[in-house]
Amino acid sequence: MISHLEILETNKMIQEENLDIRTITMGIDLMDTATDNIDKLCNKIYDKIGFEAEKLVQTADDVALKYAIPIVNKRIAITPIALVAASTKSDSYVKIAKTLDKVSQEVGVNFIGGYSALVDKGYSESSKILIKSLPEALSETDRVCASVNVGSTRTGINMDVVHELGYRIKEIAKLTERRESIGCAKFVVFCNAPDDNPFMAGAFHGVGQSDTVIHVGVSGPGVVKRALMNVKGASFEQMCECIKRTSFKMTRAGQMIAQEVANNLNIPFGIIDLSLAPTPAIGDSVAEILEEMGLESAGAHGSTLALAILNDSVKKGGVMASSRVGGLSGAFIPVSEDHAMIKAAESGLLTLDKLEAMTCVCSVGLDMIAIPGDTPSSTISAIIGDEMAIGMINGKTTAVRIIPAVGKSVGDYVEFGGLLGQAPIMSVHKASAEKLMQRGGRIPAPIHSFKN
């Protein structure tokens, strides 16, 4: 039974503290569309997504209106295209990307994720084709998001792909130069990628899931910040309890919305991802939470400690509220999407090195980081390699979404607008990692991966 007090608390979270359902994401299995002809495959993909997702947006809007809880984005995640398209023997999958873009626009979703490859232990011919096509595919589509999982704790890191992706990211940036290199904002490199993540750009539909499923991503940095204002000066234990209780309430609200959407569409409910994902709006910032915890600014000494407390407490509160917590669940630290992170980067307190340290304890990794456009591809590969090593050794998901903004240098900005916001160009170290990146091959799994 939901009490009157709980209803009032939820209303306050929505109206005053920026609680929202950040995304309802429909996962769709495309393995049954596989065929040896790419034109037939595109037609089958178009028909299946169009059929399955036809009522997604309207259903989500109806449920949002019923409960007066905003659902900001409606998205689709599909089986990694490198798996689906392998039997076509085509030399390019750009036609598939354009099909995905067309059908996602027609069903009305914001993004579609799954133009993806899983190469942590090997590099199939289909994965090579997909990765080679990334620059063209992302520059000629608007809603398609791509990802590549290059490593895991159980398998190690595929450094051949890491090396190649430095070049591909530079190509994506060049081909979308007139739009502030926005193509790079739709591409993420993963270690230990979850296959039930509802957030873009890294969402894809894992092969072990139902044919069709609904995942939900809940976000409310403003709610957590407001709750912490009530425990100023309290002990660490009291602060952790405050975050846990708040996360519990947010999770329950999100699960209620997701289950209703799933029931109305007559498909299974998958997971709820309780991730504190910021937006450029004032009061909707993870960096502001860190400041409310006691830091003068994000990036100050103590930032990694504060973020670790926040991430762990959010997860504990979510797990206590639901048996369906999955995806990433924790705190995101994308620079361009968080106004207080931007301010900290502008002041010089938040550097690339400090962000890397913070990714050891947050939910993802280096997210929406803009760097000078003349950064060598080997340096980009090395940044990816550093982050993949953190994920592999620590048994956690890490990711890199980096934007070498063509024609931009430190002191400039890239302006994306909307949810993606703006990003200051951050400096990178000048010392080269070229010889290290040229070694090639695969980094073996760490010793603690052998658990059988």
Side-chain angles (χ1 to χ4, degrees):
M1 178 68 69
I2 299 176
S3 69
H4 292 294
L5 179 59
E6 289 175 312
I7 293 171
L8 291 172
E9 285 181 335
T10 303
N11 285 338
K12 184 179 178 182
M13 288 179 183
I14 297 163
Q15 295 170 7
E16 301 178 17
E17 301 166 5
N18 294 314
L19 173 65
D20 59 44
I21 306 300
R22 186 56 50 86
T23 178
I24 291 286
T25 301
M26 175 181 281
I28 303 175
D29 179 23
L30 294 183
M31 291 303 289
D32 61 350
T33 66
T35 179
D36 61 359
N37 181 286
I38 193 165
D39 291 319
K40 290 181 179 178
L41 176 62
C42 287
N43 289 335
K44 292 175 75 173
I45 288 174
Y46 178 89
D47 290 342
K48 181 161 188 182
I49 293 175
F51 174 77
E52 296 289 355
E54 179 183 13
K55 299 179 181 179
L56 172 63
V57 172
Q58 186 60 57
T59 301
D61 286 343
D62 290 345
V63 173
L65 182 63
K66 176 180 177 180
Y67 291 101
I69 297 181
I71 299 177
V72 180
N73 296 292
K74 298 87 180 177
R75 298 165 173 171
I76 295 171
I78 56 173
T79 309
I81 288 298
L83 300 177
V84 177
S87 60
T88 65
K89 306 304 180 184
S90 175
D91 60 357
S92 173
Y93 297 156
V94 174
K95 185 176 287 189
I96 300 174
K98 291 181 177 180
T99 299
L100 296 173
D101 205 44
K102 180 181 178 182
V103 71
S104 62
Q105 181 178 8
E106 292 184 4
V107 299
V109 296
N110 307 92
F111 289 109
I112 183 166
Y115 196 77
S116 306
L118 311 176
V119 297
D120 47 289
K121 198 170 184 178
Y123 201 7
S124 69
E125 188 61 33
S126 183
S127 295
K128 291 178 182 178
I129 293 167
L130 184 134
I131 290 171
K132 183 179 179 181
S133 72
L134 282 171
E136 186 179 356
L138 293 178
S139 65
E140 296 189 9
T141 59
D142 294 319
R143 306 184 186 213
V144 173
C145 292
S147 61
V148 177
N149 189 72
V150 301
S152 75
T153 301
R154 294 301 301 268
T155 61
I157 304 172
N158 188 333
M159 290 304 297
D160 287 329
V161 180
V162 170
H163 187 211
E164 180 179 351
L165 288 177
Y167 293 100
R168 299 301 176 199
I169 290 171
K170 293 270 287 186
E171 290 177 31
I172 296 167
K174 181 64 177 176
L175 288 177
T176 55
E177 176 182 359
R178 294 185 179 180
R179 293 182 289 157
E180 303 275 53
S181 301
I182 195 172
C184 297
K186 300 187 295 171
F187 175 63
V188 60
V189 186
F190 271 117
C191 179
N192 292 318
D195 60 6
D196 56 5
N197 165 29
F199 287 99
M200 299 296 166
F204 62 87
H205 185 71
V207 296
Q209 298 186 72
S210 303
D211 288 338
T212 312
V213 68
I214 288 290
H215 301 311
V216 62
V218 179
S219 180
V223 180
V224 175
K225 179 193 173 185
R226 183 66 66 91
L228 287 173
M229 292 171 67
N230 297 321
V231 291
K232 289 182 182 293
S235 69
F236 280 106
E237 289 92 340
Q238 289 172 298
M239 182 172 67
C240 291
E241 285 300 314
C242 175
I243 298 171
K244 283 163 56 180
R245 288 196 302 269
T246 305
S247 299
F248 178 91
K249 297 170 187 176
M250 292 162 57
T251 303
R252 298 286 277 191
Q255 180 163 304
M256 176 184 68
I257 296 296
Q259 286 181 322
E260 177 126 359
V261 171
N263 290 339
N264 290 352
L265 291 171
N266 196 31
I267 64 176
F269 165 54
I271 60 95
I272 178 167
D273 186 321
L274 181 65
S275 289
L276 299 181
T279 71
I282 303 297
D284 203 23
S285 161
V286 169
E288 285 186 353
I289 296 175
L290 303 184
E291 292 168 8
E292 190 59 43
M293 293 171 77
L295 297 174
E296 183 177 348
S297 169
H301 296 301
S303 294
T304 305
L305 169 65
L307 186 59
I309 293 168
L310 175 63
N311 208 57
D312 183 63
S313 298
V314 166
K315 289 178 184 290
K316 287 174 178 174
V319 169
M320 186 167 56
S322 172
S323 61
R324 296 292 189 93
V325 173
L328 298 162
S329 290
F332 290 176
I333 51 172
V335 173
S336 78
E337 299 170 13
D338 188 317
H339 77 94
M341 287 284 186
I342 294 170
K343 184 179 178 181
E346 290 171 337
S347 71
L349 274 170
L350 192 63
T351 64
L352 197 56
D353 289 340
K354 185 59 178 178
L355 278 167
E356 183 180 301
M358 292 168 70
T359 65
C360 295
V361 297
C362 78
S363 287
V364 190
L366 296 173
D367 195 13
M368 291 300 290
I369 309 295
I371 60 174
D374 61 0
T375 302
S377 60
S378 60
T379 298
I380 296 172
S381 296
I383 292 170
I384 294 171
D386 283 342
E387 200 60 32
M388 300 302 101
I390 290 171
M392 177 185 71
I393 295 297
N394 292 289
K396 70 183 294 292
T397 299
T398 50
V400 174
R401 188 162 46 147
I402 194 166
I403 304 150
V406 177
K408 305 278 187 176
S409 57
V410 176
D412 295 331
Y413 289 82
V414 288
E415 299 273 356
F416 297 123
L419 187 64
L420 296 178
Q422 68 170 14
I425 306 300
M426 303 183 74
S427 63
V428 300
H429 295 302
K430 300 300 182 183
S432 174
E434 178 70 38
K435 291 182 180 179
L436 178 65
M437 292 301 106
Q438 286 180 345
R439 287 183 176 273
R442 185 168 62 88
I443 295 174
I447 187 65
H448 57 263
S449 68
F450 302 106
K451 298 180 179 180
N452 287 339

